[in-house]
């Protein structure tokens, strides 16, 4: 390691003292109907979706590019109903494969703690012949319980499934205090496993997991004065998103054990993508993962053991974070919520001093800078260590900061291999933003991401914007500067950025990068290398001079491009709702 960023820890506010994770439950009462009325940010209508936002042409997130599938021909037992599933699992033994038909959609509401025995594989066909895999869905709260729970079991594998929890609409902050029954009834977990070995003998792979309020995956059991369960796991090639309840909301919640490998996963809109409980036996390795551009708080985490009622001031054991790509900038914005106000969020937060060390190497931090010398980071920077006066047992090397694409050995494996026939792809994570350049309090800007899936460099030449709501009739930045959130259009691309700064645009309308409003003729065009991403910023949307909150407003966007290599050109159009 080239640089040591090597504590003392204060207690932090928040729900850190977890409940007894081995406790039995009652029947849940909060329905998905209440959730379906919630937007992914603030409480506007949003239908329950099964769309998987992970990249379709990359092994990150699993799916069609995953090549270690269990198939139907491997099955010992094949099921397609809830009763068949429960019967098959209760009778399964080590070496058995319980296959759930890929076309099945099974309502698991009212079920909890379904045991997967030692040595048993629960499988379906996600990514095989275009299938999304069998869907298990829970449509009401679960009183803090898990749908699947393997207690003391070893050699368990869960692969190729979809698990949708009772709150798939996105971020929300329950009115109840975290210890009130009204809060606890909303707590839910997709898969919880623990046993008495720290060996990496539980595998969860190629699954699509979303809508869980505690955690999509929960591993081990907390040991603050009780029995220790330092379980080890391998979680890989999964799409884990929209697990975003305030105070909890984890993609992967690591309560104990340090033999955890998390790799090739796609994360988006979780409160924390990976959370560590903090005890001296707690650690993980995270590599080759993508964290997309929506977040509720920081992405990778290690809590402080003492703050979780442990007996030592320590932040876990050994943490190794390498070859990941982090994309977001600010957190999502809640409705009149003091915690979720669209502020910057760091990517990695270590809450004290690791008992051994934390290494951060070869990561691509796309929207954040390296912490300045003499500091220990903060929300505005890529990573932070809290409650220390200087970096302690923290090391970093060979990371990349900013949107310019680094060498291929930094960050997660690149998406886009030229196989996408559309060439220019609108990627997931369209977001309405309240830029800090104004004080109007409205999310009147829109941000989205494009991916160049051609094998050649691509030049973007024109962007056309058409709101479905005809009262949204202007795009005006009210600034004489040129850049992100100070121009009507700004595109941050890896080869060359560009901006269109005009005297307002009537909508529907188009902005021409080749001739609109940029004083430097050499930088009129936005240029993307093959496989790269470009971030597009539109600001601000107005109704006759009044800023418009764009959450829930539908836009049709067309982007025109051409290729210098062969002179080919085209236009890609999509419709989305931030």
């Amino acid at each position: 390691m080239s640089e040591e960023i090597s504590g003392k820890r204060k207690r932090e506010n928040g729900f850190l003292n977890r409940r007894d994770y081995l406790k039995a439950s009652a029947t849940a009462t909060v329905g998905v109907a209440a959730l379906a009325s919630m937007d992914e940010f603030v409480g506007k209508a949003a239908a329950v979706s099964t769309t998987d936002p992970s990249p379709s042409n990359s092994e990150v997130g699993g799916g069609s590019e995953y090549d270690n599938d269990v198939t139907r021909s491997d099955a010992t037992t094949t099921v397609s109903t809830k009763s068949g599933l429960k019967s098959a699992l209760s009778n399964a033994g080590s070496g058995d494969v319980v296959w759930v038909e890929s076309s099945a959609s099974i309502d698991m509401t009212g079920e909890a703690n379904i045991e997967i025995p030692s040595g048993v594989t629960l499988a379906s066909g996600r990514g095989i012949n275009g299938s999304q895999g069998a869907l298990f869905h829970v449509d009401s709260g679960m009183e803090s319980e898990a749908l699947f729970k393997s207690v003391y079991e070893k050699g368990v594998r869960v692969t190729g499934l979809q698990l949708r929890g009772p709150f798939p609409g996105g971020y929300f902050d329950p009115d109840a205090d975290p210890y009130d029954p009204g809060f606890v009834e909303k707590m839910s977990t997709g898969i919880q496993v623990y046993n008495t070995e720290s060996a990496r003998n539980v595998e969860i792979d190629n699954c699509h997991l979303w809508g869980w309020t505690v955690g999509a995956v929960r591993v081990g059991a907390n040991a603050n004065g009780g029995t220790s369960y330092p379980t080890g796991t391998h979680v890989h090639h999964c799409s884990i998103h929209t697990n975003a309840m305030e105070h909890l909301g984890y993609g992967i919640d690591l309560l104990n054990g340090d033999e955890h490998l998390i790799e090739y996963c796609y994360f988006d809109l979780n409160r924390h993508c990976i959370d560590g409980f903090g005890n001296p036996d707690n650690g993980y390795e995270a590599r080759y993962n993508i964290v997309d551009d929506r977040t509720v708080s920081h992405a990778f985490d290690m809590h402080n053991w003492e703050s979780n009622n442990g007996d030592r001031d320590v932040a876990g054991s050994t943490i190794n974070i390498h070859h990941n790509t982090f994309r977001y900038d600010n957190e999502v914005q809640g409705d009149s919520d003091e915690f979720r106000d669209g502020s910057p969020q760091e990517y990695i937060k270590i809450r004290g001093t690791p008992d051994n060390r934390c290494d951060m190497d070869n990561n691509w931090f796309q929207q954040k800078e390296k912490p300045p010398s003499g500091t220990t980071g903060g929300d505005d920077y890529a990573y932070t260590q809290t409650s220390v006066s200087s970096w302690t047992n923290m090391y970093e090397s060979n990371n990349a900061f900013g949107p310019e694409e680094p060498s291929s050995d930094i960050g997660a494996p690149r998406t886009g291999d030229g196989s996408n026939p559309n060439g220019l792809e609108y990627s997931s994570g369209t977001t309405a933003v309240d830029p800090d350049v104004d004080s109007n309090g409205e999310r009147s800007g829109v941000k989205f991401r494009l991916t160049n899936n051609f094998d050649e460099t691509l030049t973007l030449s024109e962007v056309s914007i058409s709101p479905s709501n005809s009262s949204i009739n202007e795009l005006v930045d009210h600034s004489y500067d040129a850049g992100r959130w100070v121009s009507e259009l700004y595109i941050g691309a890896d080869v060359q950025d560009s901006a269109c700064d005009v005297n307002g645009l009537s909508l529907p309308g188009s902005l021409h990068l080749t001739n609109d409003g940029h004083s430097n003729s050499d930088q009129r065009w936005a240029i993307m290398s093959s496989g790269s991403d470009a971030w597009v910023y539109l600001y601000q949307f107005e109704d006759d001079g009044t800023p418009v909150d764009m959450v829930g407003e539908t836009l049709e966007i067309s982007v025109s491009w051409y290729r210098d290599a062969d002179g080919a050109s085209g236009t890609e159009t999509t419709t989305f709702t931030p």
Side-chain angles (χ1 to χ4, degrees):
M1 297 300 162
S2 63
E3 180 181 346
E4 178 176 0
I5 43 178
S6 277
K8 207 66 184 157
R9 169 79 176 95
K10 67 180 180 182
R11 294 180 179 271
E12 298 197 9
N13 295 327
F15 184 42
L16 298 176
N17 185 13
R18 317 285 178 80
R19 294 177 175 273
D20 180 0
Y21 297 107
L22 312 183
K23 153 176 145 4
S25 73
T27 304
T29 58
V30 177
V32 77
L35 177 63
S37 68
M38 303 183 70
D39 179 79
E40 64 185 5
F41 302 127
V42 292
K44 298 188 177 181
V48 174
S49 172
T50 58
T51 300
D52 181 358
S54 64
S56 61
N57 60 338
S58 169
E59 64 178 317
V60 177
S64 61
E65 299 298 310
Y66 185 61
D67 60 5
N68 192 28
D69 302 295
V70 173
T71 66
R72 196 175 189 277
S73 63
D74 299 316
T76 307
T77 306
T78 300
V79 301
S80 59
T81 64
K82 179 171 71 174
S83 60
L85 170 73
K86 294 176 68 176
S87 175
L89 287 175
S90 65
N91 291 298
S94 182
D96 287 346
V97 174
V98 176
W99 175 269
V100 187
E101 296 287 16
S102 295
S103 60
S105 179
I106 303 176
D107 186 350
M108 303 298 288
T109 305
E111 298 292 336
N113 303 329
I114 298 172
E115 187 77 11
I116 305 175
S118 288
V120 171
T121 295
L122 176 62
S124 189
R126 179 175 183 247
I128 299 175
N129 297 323
S131 174
Q132 295 183 7
L135 171 65
F136 296 110
H137 61 93
V138 175
D139 295 341
S140 67
M142 296 178 66
E143 295 281 354
S144 83
E145 295 304 325
L147 179 58
F148 292 103
K149 180 179 273 189
S150 288
V151 181
Y152 311 119
E153 310 293 359
K154 305 169 186 176
V156 169
R157 183 180 180 187
V158 179
T159 182
L161 302 174
Q162 300 182 88
L163 297 183
R164 192 193 77 205
F167 290 90
Y171 168 71
F172 74 108
D173 187 357
D175 292 334
D177 180 86
Y179 294 101
D180 290 343
F183 186 95
V184 175
E185 71 183 3
K186 297 177 176 65
M187 294 168 62
S188 62
T189 298
I191 305 168
Q192 182 168 0
V193 293
Y194 56 87
N195 55 47
T196 56
E197 291 188 359
S198 61
R200 197 174 290 156
N201 58 28
V202 173
E203 183 176 12
I204 300 167
D205 63 299
N206 194 28
C207 290
H208 180 196
L209 309 162
W210 78 110
W212 304 98
T213 58
V214 175
V217 176
R218 200 169 212 199
V219 180
N222 63 338
N224 47 1
T227 306
S228 176
Y229 296 92
T231 309
T233 54
H234 187 194
V235 183
H236 61 104
H237 295 88
C238 290
S239 178
I240 303 174
H241 65 93
T242 321
N243 307 287
M245 185 171 76
E246 188 60 53
H247 303 292
L248 295 169
Y250 307 124
I252 302 173
D253 189 17
L254 304 175
L255 296 170
N256 210 333
D258 61 3
E259 287 294 323
H260 302 294
L261 175 60
I262 301 161
E263 61 178 344
Y264 294 97
C265 288
Y266 170 88
F267 296 103
D268 190 35
L269 197 59
N270 302 292
R271 182 167 168 269
H272 301 322
C273 301
I274 303 173
D275 162 71
F277 196 61
N279 70 65
D281 296 322
N282 197 190
Y284 58 90
E285 178 181 2
R287 65 186 186 187
Y288 311 126
N289 303 291
I290 292 175
V291 178
D292 216 335
D293 54 7
R294 298 178 299 170
T295 191
V296 176
S297 185
H298 55 273
F300 292 179
D301 171 278
M302 182 58 72
H303 281 73
N304 184 273
W305 180 227
E306 188 175 60
S307 295
N308 279 344
N309 289 340
D311 56 3
R312 288 183 57 196
D313 182 9
V314 63
S317 57
T318 304
I319 307 145
N320 191 0
I321 299 169
H322 64 97
H323 293 95
N324 302 282
T325 296
F326 299 86
R327 289 173 167 165
Y328 65 80
D329 189 356
N330 292 6
E331 66 187 5
V332 301
Q333 194 164 20
D335 188 11
S336 302
D337 187 289
E338 61 178 307
F339 299 110
R340 304 298 155 212
D341 59 0
S343 297
Q345 282 290 336
E346 65 271 271
Y347 298 127
I348 300 166
K349 188 171 187 176
I350 307 300
R351 308 184 191 209
T353 303
D355 203 36
N356 183 21
R357 60 189 291 148
C358 173
D359 292 286
M360 299 173 291
D361 309 313
N362 297 89
N363 300 288
W364 183 10
F365 302 117
Q366 287 192 351
Q367 299 287 321
K368 298 290 182 180
E369 297 178 356
K370 184 176 182 177
S373 177
T375 75
T376 57
D379 293 347
D380 290 308
Y381 302 105
Y383 45 83
T384 187
Q385 184 178 22
T386 62
S387 300
V388 294
S389 58
S390 61
W391 300 110
T392 308
N393 293 353
M394 296 276 292
Y395 305 85
E396 73 89 31
S397 70
N398 205 38
N399 295 294
F401 303 86
E404 183 175 351
E405 184 172 5
S407 60
S408 60
D409 64 338
I410 297 177
R414 305 289 193 264
T415 60
D417 58 4
S419 62
N420 186 341
N422 292 323
L424 184 65
E425 177 186 8
Y426 291 86
S427 300
S428 63
T430 302
T431 306
V433 179
D434 178 14
D436 59 11
V437 299
D438 63 48
S439 58
N440 59 45
E442 297 292 350
R443 285 154 289 188
S444 54
V446 170
K447 170 186 173 183
F448 62 91
R449 181 163 47 88
L450 299 168
T451 299
N452 176 14
N453 290 323
F454 287 112
D455 290 328
E456 300 88 8
T457 295
L458 206 63
T459 296
L460 307 184
S461 57
E462 182 177 349
V463 177
S464 299
I465 307 133
S466 179
S468 293
N469 182 352
S470 60
S471 67
I472 304 173
N473 54 22
E474 294 178 295
L475 189 72
V476 184
D477 68 42
H478 299 285
S479 170
Y480 292 104
D481 296 324
R484 185 176 69 167
W485 304 131
V486 291
S487 293
E488 282 81 2
L489 168 66
Y490 177 78
I491 301 179
D494 67 323
V495 176
Q496 182 169 278
D497 299 338
S498 187
C500 275
D501 199 68
V502 297
N503 190 24
L505 175 71
S506 296
L507 297 177
S510 298
L511 291 165
H512 303 270
L513 287 160
T514 52
N515 58 19
D516 281 350
H518 203 297
S519 61
N520 186 341
S521 61
D522 292 335
Q523 294 184 357
R524 287 177 175 172
W525 300 272
I527 303 175
M528 308 170 64
S529 65
S530 175
S532 71
D533 293 332
W535 301 82
V536 181
Y537 303 84
L538 300 171
Y539 177 76
Q540 73 178 348
F541 288 90
E542 296 184 354
D543 175 0
D544 290 334
T546 301
V548 175
D549 187 334
M550 293 302 293
V551 173
E553 299 288 354
T554 300
L555 292 171
E556 182 181 273
I557 302 290
S558 297
V559 178
S560 298
W561 54 266
Y562 65 86
R563 297 196 308 244
D564 287 331
D566 56 7
S569 62
T571 300
E572 298 300 334
T573 301
T574 192
T575 300
F576 52 63
T577 303

